[in-house]
Each structure stands twice: as structure tokens, then as C-alpha cells.
């Protein structure tokens, strides 16, 4: 019997997955939670064989952060990422984090159950529709600090506010924004936010 933990923030999807996967004779869902933080806590209590984690979840940590924590804090728990979209940046982070599987939510229940079994056996699984993307991932051109600045731009913060939050001068922040726009070949900072978001870099 494969002991499985599910983390998915959308209630309807979470309940549907619990219902469908509970029909599998060899999969036991030990807990279903709605955030990355709760996934880590539940894994430490229930010690599942596989954690199926949505990437985009509310809270302090997302699914990929939760997977990274589980790798060190619950090494016996293998991780299968589940997402509604195969953003190249998300896929790159997943591969860099050495997650065991990456599936799209468009997969059928049979495909998902099969992926869970493979991950539980120690295999790595990649949704077939993402195979080409995996070969053609663009490197993130942004430094960690540039990404921090752009995330705050995405939240609607202006340079003086960003400067205060990151302990920089407003002039330095403006320089960062100019560099970011240039690196991403964007029209302006709004376009830079769009490009980086779609790539999964912020």
C-alpha cells in the first residue's frame, strides 16, 4: 500500500483528487492539506511514501519549497509536483530541487495514479507534454536581488518603497529596474513582470 499525502489549495480539486485516488486499491491517502506549510507538518507526522504537491499554494512556502524541505526533513518521502501549467521556470526549479515527478493537472486520474506508483518505486516521472519544454529551458537571467526587486514591482510597489523594504537607495532600485528591463528585452517594467511571471522566474 502506498501512503500518500496531498497538498492542493483549491478545495474542489483537492476533494476530487481524494475521491478519485481513494478508488485505487493500492493508494491510501493519509492526509489532504491546503498549503505548503501544512504539507511539511503533515509529512513529519504521517511519514507518507509520496507527497503530491500543487506548486502554487498560499502561505509562507509554495509546493516547490515544501518539496525541498521534505527532501531534508523527511527523506523517505518522495515528491510529485502537480500544476495547472508547465511554466519553464517552475519546471527548472522542480528539476533543480530534484523532485521525483512533475505532472500537469490535465492528466487523467489513471495517468496520475500511474505516476504516483512510479515515484513510489523510485522512478522519476515527467508529464509527456512537458518533455520538449524540459529540453529547451531558458536560463533565468535575473540575479536573486533583481528577482526580489521585480517581485515588489509586480506587487505594485514604487522605487522609494522598494528601496525601503530592501535597504537600498531609490537610485539603486531604478538602476536594477533598468537592468531587468534590458535583460528581459522588455518594453517597460510592466512587460518585464509579465515575461518573468510567465517564465516562472518570480
Amino acid at each position: 500500500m502506498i501512503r500518500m499525502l496531498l497538498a492542493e489549495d483549491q478545495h474542489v480539486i483537492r476533494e476530487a483528487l481524494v475521491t478519485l485516488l481513494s478508488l485505487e486499491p493500492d493508494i491510501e491517502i493519509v492526509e489532504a492539506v491546503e498549503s505548503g506549510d501544512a504539507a511539511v507538518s503533515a509529512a513529519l507526522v504521517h511519514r507518507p511514501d509520496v507527497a503530491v504537491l500543487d506548486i502554487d499554494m498560499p502561505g509562507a512556502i509554495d509546493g516547490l519549497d515544501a518539496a525541498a524541505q521534505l527532501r531534508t526533513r523527511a527523506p523517505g518521502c518522495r515528491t510529485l509536483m502537480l500544476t495547472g501549467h508547465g511554466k519553464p521556470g517552475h519546471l527548472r526549479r522542480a528539476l533543480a530541487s530534484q523532485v521525483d515527478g512533475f505532472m500537469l493537472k490535465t492528466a487523467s486520474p489513471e495517468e496520475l495514479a500511474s505516476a504516483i506508483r512510479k515515484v513510489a518505486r523510485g522512478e522519476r516521472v515527467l508529464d509527456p507534454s512537458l518533455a520538449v519544454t524540459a529540453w529547451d529551458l531558458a536560463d533565468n537571467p535575473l540575479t536573486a536581488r533583481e528577482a526580489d526587486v521585480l517581485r515588489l514591482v509586480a506587487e505594485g510597489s514604487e522605487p522609494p518603497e522598494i528601496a525601503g523594504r530592501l535597504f537600498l537607495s531609490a537610485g539603486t532600485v531604478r538602476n536594477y529596474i533598468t537592468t531587468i528591463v534590458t535583460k528581459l528585452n522588455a518594453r517597460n517594467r510592466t512587460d518585464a513582470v509579465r515575461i518573468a511571471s510567465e517564465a516562472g522566474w518570480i
Side-chain angles (χ1 to χ4, degrees), residues 144-192:
R145 179 58 89 184
E146 288 166 351
D148 289 340
V149 169
L150 195 56
R151 282 189 200 96
L152 293 175
V153 170
E155 292 175 9
S157 300
E158 292 297 325
E161 183 184 353
I162 296 171
R165 291 177 65 176
L166 297 181
F167 305 102
L168 301 169
S169 72
T172 299
V173 170
R174 290 189 189 91
N175 289 340
Y176 272 126
I177 292 172
T178 299
T179 301
I180 291 164
V181 169
T182 301
K183 278 186 174 182
L184 299 184
N185 199 23
R187 295 186 300 275
N188 50 44
R189 61 184 179 180
T190 302
D191 193 36

Side-chain angles (χ1 to χ4, degrees), residues 21-168:
L21 292 172
S22 294
L23 298 174
E24 300 296 329
D26 57 343
I27 297 175
E28 175 192 2
I29 299 176
V30 296
E31 187 72 86
V33 297
E34 61 182 21
S35 71
D37 311 72
V40 174
S41 298
L44 295 176
V45 172
H46 296 286
R47 298 292 174 179
D49 302 306
V50 177
V52 177
L53 308 168
D54 182 21
I55 289 182
D56 296 306
M57 290 187 287
I61 61 174
D62 66 11
L64 287 170
D65 292 329
Q69 288 198 28
L70 291 177
R71 188 167 182 80
T72 55
R73 299 177 67 186
C77 177
R78 301 180 66 79
T79 51
L80 174 62
M81 308 312 299
L82 198 58
T83 184
H85 38 71
K87 287 183 179 179
H90 280 164
L91 184 52
R92 177 171 290 284
R93 278 182 63 202
L95 295 175
S97 300
Q98 296 182 298
V99 302
D100 301 293
F102 195 102
M103 293 292 290
L104 293 177
K105 291 181 182 178
T106 51
S108 69
E110 293 79 13
E111 289 171 327
L112 180 56
S114 174
I116 291 167
R117 293 184 185 104
K118 287 178 181 177
V119 166
R121 288 198 300 265
E123 299 176 36
R124 295 190 81 183
V125 177
L126 178 64
D127 193 293
S129 65
L130 295 174
V132 174
T133 304
W135 284 108
D136 192 30
L137 289 175
D139 286 322
N140 181 357
L142 303 178
T143 65
R145 179 58 89 184
E146 288 166 351
D148 289 340
V149 169
L150 195 56
R151 282 189 200 96
L152 293 175
V153 170
E155 292 175 9
S157 300
E158 292 297 325
E161 183 184 353
I162 296 171
R165 291 177 65 176
L166 297 181
F167 305 102
L168 301 169

